[in-house]
Amino acid sequence: MEFNWELMLSSYAAVFTPSILFMICIGTTAGIVIGALPGLTATMGVALLVPLTFGRPPLESLSMLMGIYCGAMYGGAISAILIRTPGTPAAAATVMEGYPMAKRGEAGRAMAMALFASFFGGIVGALIMTFASPFISNVALEFGPVEYFGLAIFGLSVIISISGRSMIKGMMSAFFGLLISAIGFDPISGFPRFTFGMVEMMEGPPFIPTLIGLFAVSEVFSEVQKTGVVQQVKAKLDQYLPSWKDIKYCFRELCRSSIIGTVIGAIPGAGGDIAAFISYGEAKRASKNPERYGHGEIEGLAASECANNSCSGGAMIPLLSLGVPGDAVTAVLLGAFVIQGLQPGPMLYKEHIDIVYQIFASMMLAQFAMQFIGMAGIQLFARVIMVDRAILTPSIFVLSMVGAFAMRSNIFDVYTTLAFGILGYVMTRYDYPLSPILLALILGPMAEANLRRAMVISAGDPSILVSRPIAVGLMALAVISLVLSIRGHRKVEARMAEMEKQFEKVIQE
Amino acid sequence: MKTADIYGGIIGILIGAYAIWEGSRMPTDVVMKIGPSFFPNILAGFLILFSVILLINALKGRSKGTVEPMRLSDKGVQRGLITLAATIVFCVVLEPLGFIPTAIIFLVFMMLVMGKRSALAMVIAPPLVTLSIWLIFEKVLYLSLPPGVLVDIL
């Protein structure tokens, strides 16, 4: 599939309409606010606001969600810099340099660089997404059930290997999620499994209520336990754009981190937090002044912010071209696509190529919206952090429940949300990562249905699984990634622990 | 974390064992050799395997990380339990009572639980939040919320 320039231009024209631009701006603003509020992540933001897209045209809905995704990735930096609390996990690395800068009285400079780095990373990520996805989908068009099975296995192996602090618990989460995905009608014979005789369970646990429960309601339960005195922001924010000198100083890191972020984003399972930490670590390693890191080095701040925003473009590549989400947020986005009647993957390029290019365009415009809204509303977003938790937290619960109910007007979905909320809270408390469950819910049916389809084609002969070179390659990659991650897990763990130690040090200082 | 991991391991094993038991009652496919229980059985097998590893590690004292114990005397834990009860009541009464009254009562109650004592905030915030959500869903998105006791007014 050649890259279609003509379609690209017409897609920009389609997105450049007042209603779409308005939705992008609304989404971006909501995203920045959600990202800025500690405890509210990009995944939660998209999950909470997906119900607002029910019944809206696909382009409007998806543009708004793109805006939320991009905005939230930047928003996390605001609280990271101003109150040393990362608004999203992806901004944890930002705290290490951003907060010391704010303490030195350079909050304005740090905020301006965070916004610009986010914009730069976002643009690079969106550009790579625009040009890489069509080619990957072209290859994927040749995929049959065997290749899809291989792809799902590869995705699952990567998710398992990189998720969470404890690999065993990551594995348990993933297999538990896969078992949940097996609830409902069997994809081939239609036999109802694990339904406990409930009609509502025949189609499996409803996706949107499940993820709202896991990512929003669980957070409500942990938020109510905290006794938080709302921190007051007194920093002077007088800079909207970084100085030319700062841009020149950080330019090398901006370029490097945006590439690292996009590549990490494109790997299924790896999200903005990992991208930011790895880019930050690489920036420190390559720096001429590594001793400045941890004391407010603007280069480290730029690396972390740039990486977590470019990650969003990267994560969209496997989602659009293969139908496999790159991280937890894109897994939620996949749900939003399905609600709109669009199934991400190579067929999306065949059947709805116009929508695909419009998504490219809206992702790019969301970056510009983020830069302008971020500059214009910097004072306001800094105030948002001080919002009263006693009002916000219960309101999030109400919105979650309404969102879960609204799609099918079914009270069963409300109970599902609550059940998954409690489950999510307990799992997070005891260090079981939640993202593998979400991704397993998508990859599980894909793996099973394609395996069984392949077996139907081969009349039960399992040798079909090794009959196609791409499938064999993908499965070999799955084995390699598992072996490497088991061997390298300790090393990665040690590095992450070192980073966390530094992070704690900055927090305590 | 040791005790928590022991419980986690046991729960994992029980879930896996249940899936295998349930799978044993599913029909087998004579044509393709693999029926509806094939995939869940493999998954349950792996879940049991990793649960056993977690359990053994915990028993050998190799559990990672720490977790703050839950004490009933802790104010945070008390708030958590009250919230849990309130959320269950919210779900149960949502349909019969209706969205608007349920949400307003829930918000006022939760604000009190979370230590908010300002009467003005209590009077203004819950109705404002509830009505905003109701207006967006009902009037902008045309998605119906349970009217409950207000069915004749709305």
Side-chain angles (χ1 to χ4, degrees):
Chain A
M1 192 181 293
E2 293 279 306
F3 186 81
N4 194 331
W5 287 101
E6 208 175 306
L7 189 58
M8 189 77 244
L9 290 175
S10 65
S11 300
Y12 270 94
V15 174
F16 248 107
T17 54
S19 65
I20 305 293
L21 288 177
F22 177 71
M23 293 305 269
I24 292 178
C25 291
I26 291 275
T28 311
T29 312
I32 297 177
V33 170
I34 287 166
L37 288 164
L40 273 66
T41 60
T43 317
M44 180 182 177
V46 179
L48 263 180
L49 299 180
V50 160
L52 296 183
T53 65
F54 299 161
R56 312 290 310 167
L59 184 56
E60 267 185 32
S61 312
L62 297 171
S63 300
M64 188 180 92
L65 295 175
M66 290 294 149
I68 298 171
Y69 189 13
C70 301
M73 282 296 185
Y74 154 66
I78 299 174
S79 47
I81 293 167
L82 297 178
I83 57 166
R84 67 177 171 182
T85 310
T88 58
T94 309
V95 175
M96 296 200 278
E97 305 306 329
Y99 185 66
M101 282 180 76
K103 232 167 61 174
R104 268 202 318 249
E106 293 176 354
R109 184 177 167 224
M111 293 276 278
M113 180 47 91
L115 180 59
F116 180 76
S118 298
F119 169 73
F120 188 94
I123 292 285
V124 173
L127 271 177
I128 296 178
M129 170 186 94
T130 304
F131 291 103
S133 315
F135 293 99
I136 296 172
S137 81
N138 201 22
V139 177
L141 267 178
E142 308 289 318
F143 281 16
V146 184
E147 283 85 357
Y148 270 112
F149 173 68
L151 185 66
I153 295 294
F154 170 60
L156 286 169
S157 75
V158 181
I159 292 161
I160 291 167
S161 55
I162 55 173
S163 60
R165 184 191 297 248
S166 156
M167 204 166 163
I168 304 289
K169 288 184 178 176
M171 297 259 194
M172 283 175 71
S173 278
F175 282 106
F176 178 62
L178 287 168
L179 267 180
I180 293 176
S181 78
I183 294 174
F185 288 125
D186 160 46
I188 303 293
S189 69
F191 184 82
R193 301 182 295 196
F194 312 115
T195 56
F196 303 99
M198 283 188 268
V199 182
E200 289 93 346
M201 296 277 273
M202 297 289 185
E203 284 176 23
F207 188 67
I208 299 290
T210 303
L211 62 94
I212 292 179
L214 282 176
F215 289 92
V217 177
S218 65
E219 201 53 50
V220 169
F221 286 124
S222 54
E223 274 296 312
V224 291
Q225 296 193 36
K226 295 175 193 160
T227 43
V229 179
V230 180
Q231 278 176 284
Q232 298 296 312
V233 177
K234 294 187 190 105
K236 205 174 150 204
L237 302 169
D238 49 0
Q239 202 175 330
Y240 296 96
L241 274 173
S243 65
W244 182 238
K245 200 178 135 206
D246 279 347
I247 295 177
K248 242 169 58 184
Y249 180 64
C250 299
F251 190 69
R252 204 178 55 142
E253 269 328 307
L254 287 173
C255 294
R256 196 217 304 254
S257 302
S258 50
I259 304 284
I260 294 177
T262 313
V263 171
I264 291 177
I267 300 172
D273 44 350
I274 296 173
F277 266 116
I278 291 183
S279 289
Y280 176 82
E282 285 304 309
K284 187 178 174 184
R285 211 153 54 162
S287 171
K288 285 178 196 144
N289 315 301
E291 71 287 349
R292 286 195 207 161
Y293 278 69
H295 303 285
E297 169 66 11
I298 196 163
E299 203 180 47
L301 170 90
S304 145
E305 272 312 299
C306 184
N308 68 33
N309 269 69
S310 60
C311 183
S312 45
M316 290 295 290
I317 299 173
L319 175 75
L320 289 173
S321 51
L322 303 171
V324 176
D327 63 1
V329 191
T330 39
V332 183
L333 280 175
L334 191 143
F337 273 84
V338 173
I339 289 168
Q340 296 293 337
L342 304 165
Q343 183 63 49
M347 288 316 281
L348 189 68
Y349 283 78
K350 271 206 142 174
E351 290 161 3
H352 299 283
I353 186 77
D354 49 334
I355 289 278
V356 176
Y357 276 76
Q358 285 162 3
I359 290 169
F360 294 157
S362 60
M363 185 86 172
M364 190 64 86
L365 288 179
Q367 311 301 332
F368 285 94
M370 180 185 76
Q371 177 71 39
F372 290 119
I373 294 171
M375 285 196 302
I378 198 156
Q379 307 288 349
L380 177 78
F381 296 131
R383 299 276 173 282
V384 160
I385 302 170
M386 297 190 281
V387 74
D388 195 340
R389 288 307 165 110
I391 300 171
L392 182 72
T393 310
S395 304
I396 289 173
F397 178 80
V398 173
L399 189 59
S400 303
M401 289 303 172
V402 169
F405 178 85
M407 194 166 93
R408 302 195 299 180
S409 292
N410 191 339
I411 200 75
F412 176 79
D413 293 352
V414 172
Y415 286 112
T416 308
T417 309
L418 182 63
F420 276 99
I422 298 168
L423 179 75
Y425 167 74
V426 174
M427 289 185 71
T428 312
R429 183 175 156 81
Y430 296 106
D431 256 358
Y432 295 86
L434 295 180
S435 302
I437 298 188
L438 184 56
L439 296 160
L441 285 177
I442 292 160
L443 293 176
M446 183 173 162
E448 180 178 16
N450 285 296
L451 169 69
R452 306 264 303 270
R453 244 172 245 148
M455 295 305 244
V456 172
I457 295 168
S458 72
D461 180 9
S463 66
I464 189 172
L465 298 178
V466 288
S467 63
R468 311 262 304 224
I470 296 177
V472 174
L474 284 166
M475 282 187 246
L477 271 178
V479 174
I480 292 169
S481 89
L482 265 183
V483 173
L484 281 181
S485 62
I486 291 168
R487 289 180 59 178
H489 194 256
R490 264 195 203 146
K491 230 187 210 170
V492 174
E493 215 176 37
R495 257 178 87 180
M496 289 299 268
E498 194 193 326
M499 290 280 187
E500 274 175 24
K501 228 179 185 172
Q502 280 181 33
F503 175 68
E504 294 292 328
K505 209 174 122 196
V506 173
I507 293 277
Q508 274 161 16
E509 273 173 16
Chain B
M1 193 62 98
K2 187 184 164 185
T3 322
D5 281 1
I6 292 174
Y7 282 123
I10 292 171
I11 293 170
I13 293 169
L14 288 177
I15 294 173
Y18 168 75
I20 291 175
W21 174 73
E22 184 80 19
S24 69
R25 303 192 307 167
M26 291 175 191
T28 44
D29 199 312
V30 279
V31 185
M32 290 166 280
K33 312 269 193 314
I34 57 171
S37 64
F38 175 75
F39 205 63
N41 279 348
I42 294 178
L43 304 175
F46 275 109
L47 181 62
I48 292 173
L49 172 73
F50 291 113
S51 303
V52 169
I53 297 175
L54 184 78
L55 192 63
I56 293 171
N57 278 349
L59 290 173
K60 283 189 175 174
R62 287 192 297 211
S63 293
K64 286 175 192 168
T66 49
V67 64
E68 244 176 62
M70 269 196 180
R71 287 192 198 91
L72 272 178
S73 55
D74 188 284
K75 287 259 186 264
V77 175
Q78 285 172 6
R79 270 200 303 276
L81 289 172
I82 295 170
T83 306
L84 178 64
T87 52
I88 293 171
V89 173
F90 178 96
C91 296
V92 173
V93 301
L94 181 63
E95 239 178 4
L97 193 59
F99 169 69
I100 293 178
T102 310
I104 293 177
I105 297 168
F106 177 80
L107 288 172
V108 171
F109 178 73
M110 283 309 297
M111 281 167 72
L112 280 170
V113 171
M114 291 187 76
K116 194 89 192 152
R117 294 289 178 267
S118 152
L120 188 68
M122 295 283 191
V123 173
I124 296 174
L128 194 70
V129 171
T130 306
L131 284 179
S132 311
I133 294 176
W134 185 83
L135 280 174
I136 291 172
F137 277 85
E138 286 272 350
K139 302 296 169 195
V140 180
L141 302 169
Y142 303 110
L143 295 166
S144 65
L145 300 178
V149 290
L150 301 178
V151 68
D152 296 329
I153 306 169
L154 300 175

